[in-house]
């Protein structure tokens, strides 16, 4: 404890909490071990003093000491021989030699302290059987223990998985092996018994992938959660991480309903105010974008949360790591599997908006409030519609994922190939993602000491139309506008003839001419996009066995992508609903072509030493790695010089090169931009995993990393971790108890780093220039000397950002301790962890006098408790039930600013600068800030009797009443509502997140239900509360309750965009973000194995139905309670620009939990099938 | 492959990590002659790009606050501006007011950076000195606008240049301190800036800042301080430079046509220059013209010329003696009427009628920014993409020099000069009309009579140009003229934006009239 204290720099309060947690955990263990605590005498060295006992009894008493287990045939005569033995403090070999003196018995030590006792003189009794024990995929298993049930008679398999055993004719064999399910087989007079073992569900012996290696969970001191690929494969999410929602304690996933979008993922809280995304390691490749990983190809995902697993990732480990391992063929496998699933996406929890007659009523009410008559639209024939715009722009989207994989593997060559096709239609009309992935990997064992392999994945993704924002537009358009087209005779803008076109209505300009548009016109404009992303990720590696225990592995990884973007904006018409006449909406054709190419390269060189000495087990690695990341970004655009020569509506011409002068870069009709943003890191690392007799564990690692993002003085950082664990169940004092099958106490502490620098600020230490400014001077007319002869333009330079030569890493100090246990015949699995993460110098971008500066700005603390438990209950041979749950409590707090003169970081957004989040010392990151609304003024008398609110604008009955908070100086309210009356009005981060699942297997059927949710967070609803004053948008449903006379409402203020006092950020806009959701409900049927004959081409078949996001219980008025960090959306609709690189990291934790009236998360009903040949 | 990796490491990680930016940095601009040029041009770019100088926020502070101009647009659009700037319910946290403050300080910071760098390099070449002059001008201009709007603001510490937020956390600077900085900056600007950028080989910088601009701005600052002799001296300096003359007819000042015709005309001392090419490419514009041109409302898309802000009030129309002043029809565009054709700055079109919510939402529009249909077609800012981003904001024009001289002369008892200067303006405005009927000559009789005549003349001459509110405040007439709109003496100054007060941790104090 003491050590941890100094590491973390913990406050006394934190220590108290931590101590309490430890005490509770310890108490639990203490109670459970009470009855066995008297027997503490177990040592690895043995003492034995027995008189006149059978050898078998003597072996029994050694077994009771809890270290060794014996296997022998109880029918051996000599095993019943009575002996005297008196030894003190001897090793097992000496004890046994002593015992067996004068008998024909010998013994053989196997792994895991298993000792086989055999007779040197063969006895011909019973029957002799032979057999082979293999794993799930037919690979031979050596060292498997085989015993006759109820006896100590047994043996173990040799290197090829074979065994020979003499057994009684009747009886059962018990076959057990670490990492596999124990299986029983009836002997029934068979002479050959071959058994295939299935992988165990025992969490502790599971092999997990860690940084630069593998280990069993038992060997580690940290918290790693493994998710099997099959849990992901049958869920309708194109991004595999989306399927992890509510499944893993400490992993917070905020999903996004737009195809191709990455969820907002946080591991153990919001550790930074800038980069919060975890690192993904896909088969060794470091990446922050896993869109190329086909969910069906995933073998497992490991979520790494704790210092002892993360420090090895050095400067990229701070936000946690998700390791993804793709499927590999296993020896002896040869199959192909086809899986397919198709589902329908559906908008649920539609937001409530006014319909046409309600709009009329409310608009008349608003006009009356402002003393205006302004209803020219009411009688216009084209504005007599009652369009439900949300229905109009949404649809049932189809989502389908199809995958074919082929595996063929021999002992020396393992080959895998898979190809996947995904179609993911959004809920919004025309939104559609298509993705094809192909993966090939091969590993070849050249000889005894050399293994080489290659992995390669190619992806093509086609996402032409970014519909983000369409739902927002649909919310804004007044329902009177028609969503249907009408035929009009119009001038063909591409030629001279007149043509008939089906035109959409524009919005009614007298009311909605500022930024509100018929979304269909927008779609029509933006759909001519060709946006194709190719990505190639591959690696080659070689593994050399240098010596018996020493392996060298070298790998080179490449991750290249090209995104080709072309957007054509055609000429098009709409019709004006006022007079029903066609209007040209876009009179200029435009063509934008952009290419973004990414080149990431990575090298790893790794030495692994693995050995056991007596009871000391050690795995040591040492390695070096380099990583480079480069972006090239090119963009060119063309507009035709005048409207008489539009770019035709013909794909053939949608290239800048198809147009004259295209080679001339200073042609004013074209622009060309180029950006090259490299970043390099290099690191050295080492790690030792040690355990003594699988009782005491020690993990330690160190990494030294350098990054080109910083100046040499701040380039290098060193990260380390130490972890320890104690497996109590291996102790002899626990030997007699039956409750715990496994009990481990663990703790680790260490440091991690984060060097991520936001897009666009790749060299924050250098004074970068911004050359986007331009000046123009008129050329003087030669006769007058004044303007009139054209122009000359100049490019200007300004600062891109303020250089910060002192910028350095973010450093995270983290510690955790916890307990893992399995109990009640391994039916219960339970883990509890307390952690504390402290980020020092989290980088933040702030705005100072017009430019950004990146600085190590704040220290942030996240502490919390994670609990997860599962219970597996076999009810009968046919029925089993398992129940699992997890819950995570996280407290997030800003501890300090790097410069004590800073008080907070302000993030304002929304139209009128009133929606604030503040990040201040002592409060959570990004907490909402504003006034407290107490109700609505009912009368002038009430206004006069209340604190003066005039600093917020003119106040009248119907306006919100804000609370007059006590003045910090006097402790009393000052009778005036002003800026000093703002306070913290809601934390966007939940107090806890939870998930639970129930799985029932009955014969070949299985039913799974996943539930997840969050509790205790707030949502800032910006729509319906903070509309831009220059926009007339449709009314929110809740505005039907707006105040319209004394006593009509005490919460929703009167309708009037002029009453800006109602448009300040306040609790009026704050909603409860807690929710619970049935995330998945799945029913599956696996055709039983016996159905397929030996000659059947089909080897396995599974069908299932899945419902995702079936029901959500929520408290807010938006589509969904899930709002990730606000990201800057692309500005594609302007036509001239590609999606601009946001100058902040998306997702932005400072703008988290804001409901802009979009973001719907669909319900997906899908059916799937998986068949193996 | 392994060897490649190892070799790379052996090569030295430091070398591997030592990556310099692959684009130019400020260090690459060097420090000698020409190092300041691109940054100085950046000042013009910022002036054009920021709303605080060119569009709605500027109009709110300068024009909409007076009795002659109003927000305009449609009733529901920008309703908060009605309250804030027309009925003087000043609010402390609104995009327009925040942008106005922020944009001015951004420009100050850009200028500070140049002045700061120049302090360390002390360049002596003419080019660099001009750039320093430009930076000093822009800083003085911004501070003058701020001191007019807010009274007390702040002056950042340490060479006025800061790179860390805490450096800007300083207490209020009194108007006197701010004017001292303005005076020292304009001393340098008027010295370092050229009289004209024209050279023997031509003028590729027409419209760039000159010493005439510095002197005019300086004269304005003295006018606000009532330092008449300095006003007279500076105005005479501008006049005697011979660079400027009153343009005639009056409509010429506002011409903004093809190929830049009308830009930087004879009367222009300083303007914010814009250019929009075919199909809005390139777009080197502002929304100055767009924000003020006729708003479509419910009318045909042909009248989607802009957002329709800053429109003339009935008060202005009523107060204007239409029979004798041709400027009225050159300043006001009437809904439902013929635009008057070229004679009054029109283009031969008839506007749809005033009918809020059905046709046009305003009766009157600012004709000084009325967009040229040829330019609408040329730029593609037409129909549903309507706008007028090419139109220049004429910030300083020669007529102001003449009227400042008239006013200062009158105040110092030089009635003759006052009368003479006033007549210059009136005779140009007369537009060839009969001097006995149209804008008759006003002879000096008393100082008070002449003072009133000059006040009136400024009202007509500069109507809708954003002079009037600060003139009323300066003359002390604001309570009388604007009182009925809700103006109180404290409204002469606007409160400092709340986010700024918040940022300054209480060191910068709010105007005590706005607790």
């Amino acid at each position: 404890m003491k050590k941890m204290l100094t590491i973390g720099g913990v406050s006394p309060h934190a220590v108290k909490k931590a101590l309490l947690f430890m005490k509770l955990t310890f108490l639990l263990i203490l109670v459970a071990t009470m009855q066995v605590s008297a027997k503490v005498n177990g040592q690895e060295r043995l003492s034995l003093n027995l008189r006149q006992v059978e050898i078998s009894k003597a072996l029994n008493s050694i077994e009771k000491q809890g270290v060794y287990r014996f296997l022998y045939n109880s029918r051996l005569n000599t095993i019943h021989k009575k002996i005297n033995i008196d030894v003190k403090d001897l090793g097992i070999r000496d004890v046994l030699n002593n015992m067996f003196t004068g008998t024909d018995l010998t013994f053989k030590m196997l792994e895991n302290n298993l000792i086989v006792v055999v007779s040197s003189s063969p006895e011909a009794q019973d029957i002799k059987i032979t057999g082979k024990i293999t794993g799930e995929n037919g690979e031979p298993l050596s060292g498997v223990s085989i015993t006759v049930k109820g006896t100590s008679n047994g043996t173990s398999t040799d290197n090829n998985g074979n065994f020979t055993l003499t057994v009684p004719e009747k009886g059962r064999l018990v076959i057990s092996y670490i990492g596999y399910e124990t299986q029983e087989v009836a002997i029934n007079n068979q002479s050959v018994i071959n058994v295939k073992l299935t992988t165990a569900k025992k969490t502790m012996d599971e092999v997990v992938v860690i940084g630069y290696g593998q280990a069993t969970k038992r060997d580690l001191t940290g918290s790693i959660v493994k998710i099997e690929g099959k849990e992901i494969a049958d869920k309708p999410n194109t991004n595999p991480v989306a399927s992890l929602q509510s499944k893993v304690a400490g992993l917070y996933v905020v999903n996004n309903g737009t195809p191709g979008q990455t969820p907002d993922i946080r591991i153990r809280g919001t550790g930074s105010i800038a980069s919060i995304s975890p690192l993904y390691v896909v088969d060794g490749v470091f990446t922050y974008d896993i869109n190329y990983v086909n969910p069906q190809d995933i073998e497992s995902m490991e979520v790494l949360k704790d210092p002892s697993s993360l420090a090895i990732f050095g400067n990229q480990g701070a936000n946690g790591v998700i390791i993804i391992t793709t499927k590999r063929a296993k020896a002896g496998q040869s199959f192909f599997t086809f899986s397919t699933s198709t589902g329908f996406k559906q908008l649920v929890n539609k937001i409530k908006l006014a319909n046409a007659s309600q709009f009329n009523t409310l608009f008349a009410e608003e006009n009356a409030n402002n003393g205006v008559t302004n209803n020219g639209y009411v009688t216009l024939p084209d504005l007599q519609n009652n369009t439900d715009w949300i229905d109009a722009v949404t649809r049932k989207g189809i989502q389908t994922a199809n995958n074919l994989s082929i595996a063929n593997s021999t002992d020396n060559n393992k080959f895998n190939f898979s190809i996947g096709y995904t179609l993911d239609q959004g809920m919004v009309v025309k939104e559609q993602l298509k993705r094809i992935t192909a993966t090939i990997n091969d590993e070849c064992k050249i000889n005894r000491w050399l293994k080489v392999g290659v992995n390669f994945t190619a992806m093509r993704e086609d996402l032409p139309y970014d519909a983000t924002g369409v739902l927002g537009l649909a919310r804004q358009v007044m329902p009177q506008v028609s969503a249907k087209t009408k035929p009009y005779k119009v001038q063909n803008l591409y030629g001279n003839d007149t043509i008939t076109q089906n035109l959409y209505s524009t919005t009614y300009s007298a009311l909605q001419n500022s930024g509100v548009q018929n979304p269909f016109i927008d779609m029509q404009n933006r759909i001519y996009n060709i946006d194709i992303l190719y990505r190639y990720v591959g690696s080659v590696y070689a593994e050399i066995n240098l010596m018996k225990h020493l392996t060298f592995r070298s790998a080179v990884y490449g991750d290249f992508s090209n995104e080709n973007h072309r957007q054509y904006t055609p000429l098009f018409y709409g019709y004006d609903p006022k007079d029903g006449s066609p209007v040209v909406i876009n009179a200029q054709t435009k063509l934008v072509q952009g290419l973004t190419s990414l080149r990431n390269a990575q090298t790893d060189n790794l030495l692994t030493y693995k050995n056991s000495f007596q009871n000391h087990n050690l795995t040591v690695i040492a390695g070096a790695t380099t990583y480079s990341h480069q972006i090239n970004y090119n963009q060119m655009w063309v507009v035709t010089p005048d409207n008489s020569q539009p770019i035709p509506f013909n794909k053939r011409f949608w290239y800048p090169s198809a147009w004259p002068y295209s080679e001339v870069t200073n042609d004013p009709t074209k622009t060309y931009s180029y950006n090259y943003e490299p970043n390099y890191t290099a690191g050295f690392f080492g790690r030792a995993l040690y355990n003594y007799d699988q009782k005491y564990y020690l993990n330690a690692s160190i990494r030294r990393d350098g990054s080109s993002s910083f100046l040499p003085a701040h380039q290098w950082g060193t990260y380390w971790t130490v972890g320890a664990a104690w497996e109590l169940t291996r102790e002899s004092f626990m030997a007699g108890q039956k409750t715990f099958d496994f009990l481990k106490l663990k703790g680790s502490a260490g440091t991690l780093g984060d060097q991520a620098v936001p897009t666009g600020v790749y060299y924050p230490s250098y004074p970068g220039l911004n050359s986007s400014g331009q000046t123009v001077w008129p050329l003087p007319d030669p006769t007058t000397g004044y303007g009139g002869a054209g122009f000359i333009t100049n490019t200007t330079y300004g600062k891109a950002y303020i250089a910060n030569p002192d910028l350095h890493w973010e450093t995270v100090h983290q510690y955790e301790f916890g307990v893992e246990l399995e109990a009640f015949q391994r039916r219960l699995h339970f883990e509890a962890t307390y952690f504390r993460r402290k980020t020092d110098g989290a980088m933040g971008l702030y705005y100072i006098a017009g430019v950004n500066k990146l600085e190590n700005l704040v220290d942030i603390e996240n502490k919390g408790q994670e609990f997860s438990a599962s219970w597996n209950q076999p009810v009968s041979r046919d029925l089993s039930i398992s129940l699992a749950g997890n819950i995570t409590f996280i407290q997030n707090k800003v501890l300090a600013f790097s410069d004590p003169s800073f008080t907070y970081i302000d993030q304002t957004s929304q139209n009128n600068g009133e929606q604030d989040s503040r990040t201040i010392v002592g409060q959570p990151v990004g907490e909402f800030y504003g006034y407290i609304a107490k109700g609505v003024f009912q009368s002038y008398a009430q206004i006069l009797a209340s604190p003066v609110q005039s600093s917020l604008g003119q106040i009248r009955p119907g306006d919100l009443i804000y609370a007059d908070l006590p003045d910090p100086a006097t402790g009393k309210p000052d009778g005036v509502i002003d800026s000093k009356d703002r306070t913290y009005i809601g934390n966007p981060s939940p107090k806890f997140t939870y998930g639970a699942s129930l799985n029932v297997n009955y014969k070949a059927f299985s039913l799974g239900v996943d539930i997840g949710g969050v509790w205790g967070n707030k949502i800032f609803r910006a729509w319906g509360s903070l509309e831009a004053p220059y926009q007339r948008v449709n009314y929110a449903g809740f505005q039907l309750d707006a105040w319209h006379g004394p006593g009509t409402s005490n919460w929703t203020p009167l309708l009037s965009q002029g009453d800006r006092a109602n448009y300040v950020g306040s609790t009026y806009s704050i909603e409860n973000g807690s929710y619970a959701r049935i995330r998945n409900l799945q029913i599956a049927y696996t055709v039983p194995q016996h159905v397929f004959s030996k000659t059947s081409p089909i080897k396995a078949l599974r069908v299932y139905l899945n419902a995702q996001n079936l029901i959500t219980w929520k408290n807010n008025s938006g589509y969904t309670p899930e709002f990730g960090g606000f990201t800057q959306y692309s500005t594609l609709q302007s036509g001239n620009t590609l999606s601009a690189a946001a100058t902040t990291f998306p997702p932005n934790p400072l703008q988290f939990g804001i409901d802009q009236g979009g973001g719907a998360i669909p319900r997906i009903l899908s059916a799937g099938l998986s068949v193996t040949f | 492959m392994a060897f490649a990796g190892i070799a790379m490491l052996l090569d030295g990680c430091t070398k591997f990590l030592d990556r310099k930016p692959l684009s130019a940095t400020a260090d690459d601009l060097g420090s000698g002659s020409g190092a300041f040029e691109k940054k100085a041009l950046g000042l013009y770019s910022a002036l054009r790009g920021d709303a605080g100088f060119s569009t709605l926020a500027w109009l709110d502070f300068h024009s909409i606050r007076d009795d002659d101009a109003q927000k305009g647009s449609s009733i529901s659009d920008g309703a908060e501006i009605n309250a804030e700037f027309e009925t003087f319910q000043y609010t402390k946290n609104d995009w327009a007011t925040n942008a106005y403050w922020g944009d001015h300080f951004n420009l100050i910071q850009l200028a500070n950076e140049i002045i700061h760098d120049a302090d360390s390099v002390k360049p002596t070449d003419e080019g660099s000195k001009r750039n320093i002059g430009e930076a000093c001008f822009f800083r003085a201009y911004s501070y003058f606008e701020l001191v007019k709007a807010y009274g007390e603001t702040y002056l950042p510490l340490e060479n006025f240049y800061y790179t860390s937020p805490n450096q800007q956390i300083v207490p209020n600077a009194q108007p006197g301190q701010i004017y001292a900085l303005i005076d020292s900056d304009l001393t340098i600007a008027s010295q370092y800036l050229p009289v004209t950028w024209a050279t023997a080989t031509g003028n590729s910088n027409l419209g760039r800042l000159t010493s005439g601009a510095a002197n005019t701005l300086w004269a304005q600052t003295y006018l606000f301080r009532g330092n008449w002799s300095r006003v007279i001296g500076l105005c005479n300096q501008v006049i005697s430079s011979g660079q400027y003359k009153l343009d005639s007819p009056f409509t010429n000042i506002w011409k903004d046509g093809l190929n830049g015709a009308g830009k930087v005309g004879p009367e222009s001392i300083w303007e914010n220059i814009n250019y929009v090419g075919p199909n809005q490419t390139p777009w080197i514009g502002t929304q100055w013209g767009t924000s003020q041109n006729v708003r479509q409302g419910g009318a045909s898309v042909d009248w989607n010329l802009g957002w329709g802000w800053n429109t003339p009030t009935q008060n202005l129309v009523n107060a204007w003696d239409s029979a004798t002043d041709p400027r009225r029809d050159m300043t006001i565009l009437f809904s439902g009427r013929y635009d008057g054709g070229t004679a009054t700055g029109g283009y031969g079109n008839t506007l749809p009628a005033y009918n809020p919510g059905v046709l046009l939402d305003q009766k009157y529009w600012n004709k000084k920014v009325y967009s040229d249909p040829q330019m609408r077609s040329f730029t593609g800012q037409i129909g549903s993409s309507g706008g007028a981003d090419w139109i220049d904001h004429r910030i300083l024009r020669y007529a102001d020099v003449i009227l400042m001289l008239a006013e200062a002369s009158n105040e110092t008892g030089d009635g003759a000069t006052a009368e003479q200067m006033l007549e210059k303006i009136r005779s140009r405005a007369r537009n060839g009309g009969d001097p006995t009927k149209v804008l008759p000559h006003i002879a000096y009789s008393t100082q008070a009579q002449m003072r009133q005549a000059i006040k009136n003349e400024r009202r007509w001459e500069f109507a809708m140009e954003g002079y009037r509110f600060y003139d009323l405040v300066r003359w002390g007439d604001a309570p009388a003229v604007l009182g009925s709109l809700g103006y109180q003496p404290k409204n002469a100054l606007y409160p400092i934006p709340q986010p700024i007060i918040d940022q300054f941790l209480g060191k910068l104090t709010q105007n005590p009239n706005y607790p």
Side-chain angles (χ1 to χ4, degrees), chain A residues 372-374 376-377 508-510 513-514 540-542 552 554-556 576 578 583-588 590 603 605 624-628 637 639-643 668-670 676 678 680-682 684 706-708 712 715-716 763 766-769 773-780 785-797 799 802 846-850 853 855 899 901-904 906 911-914 916 918 950-954 978-980 982 1029-1032 1057-1058 1060, chain B residues 1-3 5-6 8-9 13-14 16-22 24-27 29 38-42 44-45 48 74-80 83-84 87 89-95 98 105-106 109-110 113 161-166 168-169 202-209 243 245 258-266 273-275 278-284 295-301 304 356-359 361 377 379-385 498-499 502-503 505 515:
Chain A
V372 223
T373 49
N374 189 352
Y377 67 94
Y508 177 54
S509 57
N513 60 354
S514 286
V540 283
Y541 61 90
F552 173 70
S554 181
V556 176
D576 186 342
K578 181 168 177 286
V583 280
V584 186
I585 297 195
N586 187 41
Q588 311 141 31
K590 281 179 197 159
T603 65
N605 289 289
T625 180
T626 64
Y627 182 79
S628 68
W637 50 278
V639 289
T640 42
D642 71 75
N643 297 338
T669 61
K670 297 179 172 68
Y676 184 76
Y680 293 75
T681 60
F684 305 93
S707 162
S708 67
Q715 216 155 46
W716 289 87
Y763 293 97
Y766 292 93
L769 288 177
Q774 278 180 296
T775 55
V776 58
W777 314 115
L779 278 173
Y786 305 113
F791 297 88
I792 55 161
T793 62
N794 301 95
T795 303
T796 72
Y797 282 130
K799 261 190 190 146
I802 295 176
Y846 62 83
Y847 205 61
I848 167 170
K853 185 177 183 188
E855 194 166 298
D899 181 329
S901 73
F902 297 167
T903 44
Y904 61 85
D906 191 25
N911 319 308
N912 226 13
E914 296 292 8
D916 257 311
R918 270 192 187 183
S950 61
S951 86
L952 302 179
Q954 209 162 15
D978 58 17
S979 54
K980 293 193 284 297
R982 292 170 298 168
Y1030 53 86
Q1031 279 189 333
R1032 162 67 46 212
Q1057 292 203 10
R1060 294 315 284 182
Chain B
M1 119 196 96
F3 301 108
I6 291 166
M8 206 182 278
L9 288 171
C13 275
T14 310
F16 180 71
L17 298 175
D18 187 18
R19 305 282 166 171
K20 292 274 189 301
L22 294 171
T25 67
D27 299 342
L29 289 183
K38 289 279 185 187
K39 280 189 180 176
L41 290 175
Y44 295 89
S45 176
R48 207 188 55 249
S74 69
I75 286 158
S76 56
D77 180 29
E80 83 284 8
E84 276 176 59
T87 60
Q89 310 280 325
Y90 291 169
T91 53
K92 288 184 252 176
N93 193 1
D94 181 50
W95 70 267
N98 296 349
F105 273 103
N106 288 351
Q109 171 76 344
L110 290 177
E113 194 185 323
Y161 175 73
Y162 50 97
T163 55
S164 174
N166 57 340
Q168 65 172 3
I169 297 172
N203 184 0
S204 57
N205 290 292
L206 183 63
R208 214 165 155 170
L209 283 168
Q243 297 295 313
K245 64 174 195 228
L258 290 173
N259 283 319
K263 288 186 188 289
V264 198
I273 302 164
N274 302 298
Y275 169 56
N279 286 323
Q280 304 191 46
T281 310
W283 189 91
I284 311 175
R295 188 184 182 90
Q296 179 188 358
S300 133
V301 75
N304 183 28
V358 181
L359 291 169
D361 289 317
S377 302
T379 58
Q381 292 199 283
I382 193 164
S384 53
S385 323
Q498 187 59 40
D502 290 349
Q503 263 175 36
L505 313 171

Side-chain angles (χ1 to χ4, degrees), chain B residues 285-302:
Chain B
T286 66
Q287 285 162 332
W288 171 257
T290 298
S291 57
Q292 300 181 69
N293 261 283
V294 177
R295 188 184 182 90
Q296 179 188 358
S300 133
V301 75
D302 297 345

Side-chain angles (χ1 to χ4, degrees), chain A residues 514 1029-1030, chain B residues 48-65 70-73 77-81 84-85 94-100 103-104 286-293 295 306-311 393:
Chain A
S514 286
Y1030 53 86
Chain B
R48 207 188 55 249
D50 293 340
F53 301 106
S54 58
T55 174
L56 301 182
W58 192 94
L59 293 170
D60 295 340
F61 274 85
H62 288 255
S63 192
I64 288 165
R65 279 205 274 185
Q70 59 187 2
K71 183 210 73 192
S73 186
D77 180 29
E80 83 284 8
I81 300 295
E84 276 176 59
F85 290 97
D94 181 50
W95 70 267
T97 59
N98 296 349
Y100 193 76
D103 289 346
H104 281 83
T286 66
Q287 285 162 332
W288 171 257
T290 298
S291 57
Q292 300 181 69
N293 261 283
R295 188 184 182 90
W307 309 335
W309 281 51
N310 191 38
T311 61
H393 176 194

